[in-house]
Amino acid sequence: MLFSSCGFTREMIPFDQPSKIKNLFFCCLCPSRLLRLWTCRRPRTRRNLLVGTACVIYLGFLVSQVGHVLPQHKGGHQKISSRSLQDAAQTPFLGIPLDGTLSPPNFQEPQLGSNGTLLPPNVVYITLRSKRSKPANIRGTVKPKRRRKNAIPLSYGQHFPKATFMGWEEAFAQQPGWATRAAGTNGAAIALEARKYQLDEHRHKGMAIRERGHQKPGRISGAVKAQLQPEESNIRIYSESPPSWMSKDDILNMRMLADSPIESIHEVPSQKAVLAVFARGPSTMGTACNQGHCGIVKRPLDMSEVFAFHLDRILGLNRSLPSVSRRSEFFQGGQACPVILWDSSLSPTDNSTHSSVRLTWGQYQQLLKKKCWQNGKVPKAEWGCTEIHHNEWSKMALFDFLLQIYNRLDRNCCGFKPLKEDSCMQQGLKLKCNDQDAVDLTHIVQRRHDQRHLAFIDNKGFFDRNEDNLDFKILQGINEFPASAVSVLRSQRLREKLLQSLFLDKIYWESQGGRKGIEKLIDVIERRSKILLTYINAHGAKVLPMNE
């Protein structure tokens, strides 16, 4: 408040402008007494002292007032309500990118809220985000972007005509084995370009187109086969080359089984399966199967044979038979079924043991002690050795233990507690464990041109068996194990390789519930592999290279 004594009228002066503060200070020094003191005659020294004192007081007062007034002037002369502060506190925090790039701060003028109050200045709250864990990226399982191709849409509304089933028991009596020509070859890493696979697919499609309109008795029309030819192969390879444990013949045979149209089908009563002949131009059934263009289609319950094939290749054994999963209106109402290639090079087998060489459990244990044909030594005649190399039994025992395949070495289920669904319980063989030396081995099969090595057939495994009920009789008499397989089990990369390998088979991957279902199966194999490694260390078994 200023009075009339200063020469001004009475008014309210807000303390928010520095110029008005200066006027206030001068007016405070304007009373009549000070004016008289200033105008009267006084000594010059006293007058200078008064002027200096007044300047110092004014300077100090000005500095103190400007320091308090300027921040308030920048924020505005209106008060900020507590409600607006609460609203501002509830606004979401701003995150910052984790790549280390921050944009410069953006200073803006204060803005008015909806109720006329000034909003507080923008404040950047820095929050740290936890790094999100990503699942393991298996090499070769990420589908690259491709150009869209002009493809003719397929009609899925039509069905196969009723096919004629013909018995083929005479042919199976002569050649009861079935496999693939490449099952006995070593699984060397062969780089196969994607262009070669595309050419092979175009060749299959070209054959189907040429056969359109031609219908023969007991066969499927070419038009229907062309409609079932998939646009994209069910064997997925998105990298430049297939996995190193798969050979070129393995990939070609898998794609033939999964994608080729079916020419005809025939019942196989002895195997409880169906023989499928794939279209490969004008040829008879016998000629097509001799050329490797036939496959055995089994029940959906035997789907573990597909898993067994991939495990065999990863372990470097290369004794099992290439298998894929396939859906068709012919089989189980469109359910996924395992398809295994027919191999005409397998030696004939008998109908009782399905083996090319007949052995009992007692004879088998004697062969393990003699170590027939090991290190190139020719066995003596009185040892009773067969043509099978000693290392083959070690490979078969390791393979059967991981998958718990008991049909070959423990047909009567004497080494574990079987379930009611097991074949030994259904056939009443569990009661015949008193004289185990007389029990025959089954599915011991060789090839005509290679009697030294075995071919693993009928590889149905069991994943529902607990670790405390494993069949250790399979490992009885085995004192040596293949180094290639044991190194894979010890490398801690078995899961990664199985995921990468099983991903190739699209139908099998989907039928098992995707990656989640596949992981459960791999968990079982990993636990059994740890038990097997413990067994090897506890019994002092040797780990030897067996790539003869």
Side-chain angles (χ1 to χ4, degrees):
M1 298 291 294
L2 298 179
F3 300 94
S4 57
S5 60
C6 294
F8 298 94
T9 58
R10 180 177 299 179
E11 59 179 354
M12 294 294 295
I13 299 177
F15 294 92
D16 58 347
Q17 298 181 5
S19 61
K20 293 185 178 181
I21 296 174
K22 298 176 182 178
N23 296 337
L24 175 62
F25 180 77
F26 280 112
C27 291
C28 293
L29 299 178
C30 287
S32 57
R33 294 181 180 179
L34 293 176
L35 292 177
R36 293 192 193 101
L37 181 62
W38 183 267
T39 55
C40 66
R41 293 185 178 180
R42 294 285 182 181
R44 185 174 299 272
T45 303
R46 188 174 182 180
R47 182 183 299 177
N48 294 341
L49 181 61
L50 290 175
V51 173
T53 304
C55 291
V56 172
I57 295 175
Y58 171 75
L59 182 60
F61 180 79
L62 181 61
V63 172
S64 61
Q65 291 298 324
V66 170
H68 290 81
V69 171
L70 286 181
Q72 297 180 2
H73 176 70
K74 192 174 183 178
H77 64 276
Q78 296 184 6
K79 295 183 179 179
I80 300 174
S81 61
S82 60
R83 182 175 182 85
S84 63
L85 289 176
Q86 295 178 359
D87 296 339
Q90 294 178 359
T91 58
F93 292 163
L94 299 176
I96 61 173
L98 295 180
D99 55 358
T101 59
L102 286 175
S103 59
N106 185 13
F107 297 103
Q108 299 178 354
E109 294 296 332
Q111 300 178 359
L112 292 176
S114 59
N115 54 359
T117 60
L118 277 178
L119 296 177
N122 293 334
V123 180
V124 178
Y125 295 91
I126 299 177
T127 58
L128 296 179
R129 298 178 184 175
S130 59
K131 186 176 182 181
R132 184 178 62 181
S133 59
K134 298 181 179 179
N137 182 17
I138 308 302
R139 183 185 66 84
T141 61
V142 180
K143 185 176 181 180
K145 295 183 179 180
R146 297 180 180 177
R147 292 185 302 174
R148 188 174 182 179
K149 299 180 180 179
N150 297 327
I152 301 176
L154 299 181
S155 174
Y156 296 95
Q158 301 183 8
H159 300 279
F160 280 101
K162 184 176 181 180
T164 303
F165 291 87
M166 298 179 294
W168 211 36
E169 298 180 2
E170 296 179 359
F172 265 87
Q174 298 176 2
Q175 298 177 356
W178 37 268
T180 181
R181 295 170 295 174
T185 58
N186 292 330
I190 302 177
L192 189 59
E193 298 178 355
R195 179 62 180 170
K196 295 182 180 179
Y197 297 125
Q198 294 177 0
L199 292 176
D200 188 71
E201 292 178 8
H202 294 323
R203 183 176 60 182
H204 294 333
K205 294 181 180 179
M207 290 181 179
I209 295 175
R210 288 194 300 269
E211 293 174 359
R212 291 181 182 177
H214 301 281
Q215 186 173 1
K216 300 180 180 180
R219 299 197 176 193
I220 304 170
S221 63
V224 177
K225 289 186 296 183
Q227 290 178 358
L228 281 186
Q229 180 68 14
E231 292 182 353
E232 186 178 357
S233 176
N234 289 322
I235 304 302
R236 304 177 290 190
I237 300 179
Y238 299 144
S239 57
E240 296 181 356
S241 60
S244 59
W245 49 86
M246 291 289 182
S247 66
K248 176 181 177 180
D249 290 336
D250 288 337
I251 298 299
L252 293 178
N253 288 326
M254 290 171 62
R255 287 195 162 174
M256 191 271 293
L257 287 173
D259 303 329
S260 294
I262 299 176
E263 180 75 16
S264 61
I265 57 176
H266 312 273
E267 287 182 323
V268 186
S270 59
Q271 298 287 342
K272 296 181 181 180
V274 175
L275 176 71
V277 180
F278 300 101
R280 285 282 182 165
S283 61
T284 62
M285 179 180 59
T287 304
C289 292
N290 289 333
Q291 294 177 355
H293 300 159
C294 298
I296 295 292
V297 183
K298 291 194 171 184
R299 302 170 299 172
L301 296 177
D302 301 327
M303 191 66 74
S304 57
E305 293 215 23
V306 179
F307 190 99
F309 161 65
H310 289 270
L311 180 62
D312 169 79
R313 292 299 188 266
I314 292 174
L315 296 179
L317 305 178
N318 302 312
R319 295 294 181 268
S320 65
L321 315 174
S323 307
V324 300
S325 298
R326 180 163 181 164
R327 289 190 177 96
S328 176
E329 294 295 332
F330 288 117
F331 322 127
Q332 303 292 330
Q335 297 184 27
C337 299
V339 184
I340 302 97
L341 256 72
W342 170 277
D343 187 2
S344 59
S345 66
L346 295 182
S347 301
T349 60
D350 56 19
N351 294 328
S352 59
T353 62
H354 301 284
S355 301
S356 59
V357 55
R358 188 157 188 172
L359 291 173
T360 62
W361 175 259
Q363 294 173 347
Y364 165 68
Q365 292 296 318
Q366 292 297 325
L367 294 181
L368 294 180
K369 295 178 180 179
K370 300 299 181 180
K371 298 183 178 182
C372 303
W373 305 102
Q374 191 177 33
N375 298 326
K377 295 181 180 180
V378 179
K380 297 180 180 180
E382 58 269 18
W383 289 358
C385 291
T386 62
E387 296 293 331
I388 302 175
H389 196 280
H390 174 73
N391 294 340
E392 296 298 301
W393 305 117
S394 300
K395 296 179 180 180
M396 185 178 66
L398 181 144
F399 182 71
D400 288 358
F401 180 82
L402 292 177
L403 294 170
Q404 286 297 294
I405 303 174
Y406 62 88
N407 291 330
R408 275 190 278 263
L409 298 176
D410 192 9
R411 181 183 182 183
N412 292 2
C413 304
C414 299
F416 66 102
K417 297 179 181 179
L419 301 177
K420 296 180 179 180
E421 296 79 10
D422 292 327
S423 59
C424 60
M425 294 295 293
Q426 295 178 358
Q427 299 175 8
L429 300 177
K430 176 63 177 176
L431 303 176
K432 301 178 181 180
C433 291
N434 295 329
D435 189 9
Q436 298 186 25
D437 291 340
V439 178
D440 292 328
L441 305 184
T442 59
H443 301 108
I444 307 300
V445 181
Q446 306 159 287
R447 286 186 171 82
R448 292 191 182 96
H449 64 278
D450 187 6
Q451 298 290 325
R452 290 283 188 270
H453 302 99
L454 294 174
F456 300 163
I457 65 172
D458 196 8
N459 299 323
K460 180 182 179 181
F462 298 89
F463 293 89
D464 57 348
R465 194 164 298 161
N466 297 330
E467 281 71 22
D468 56 351
N469 191 29
L470 298 180
D471 191 358
F472 281 92
K473 185 182 178 182
I474 299 174
L475 302 177
Q476 185 174 342
I478 302 297
N479 299 322
E480 300 167 350
F481 291 91
S484 61
V486 175
S487 62
V488 174
L489 299 180
R490 290 175 176 174
S491 65
Q492 306 296 325
R493 295 189 60 190
L494 178 62
R495 175 180 298 272
E496 176 186 348
K497 292 184 177 182
L498 281 173
L499 285 173
Q500 184 179 349
S501 187
L502 294 172
F503 182 80
L504 300 178
D505 196 328
K506 178 181 177 181
I507 303 300
Y508 181 79
W509 185 275
E510 295 175 352
S511 66
Q512 301 302 316
R515 177 163 182 165
K516 184 177 181 180
I518 298 294
E519 293 269 10
K520 293 181 180 180
L521 300 179
I522 299 177
D523 290 340
V524 176
I525 300 300
E526 280 192 337
R527 290 195 295 267
R528 292 177 182 175
S529 64
K530 293 180 181 178
I531 294 176
L532 178 60
L533 294 177
T534 304
Y535 177 90
I536 293 175
N537 295 332
H539 290 75
K542 298 180 180 179
V543 179
L544 303 176
M546 299 182 181
N547 298 324
E548 73 287 342

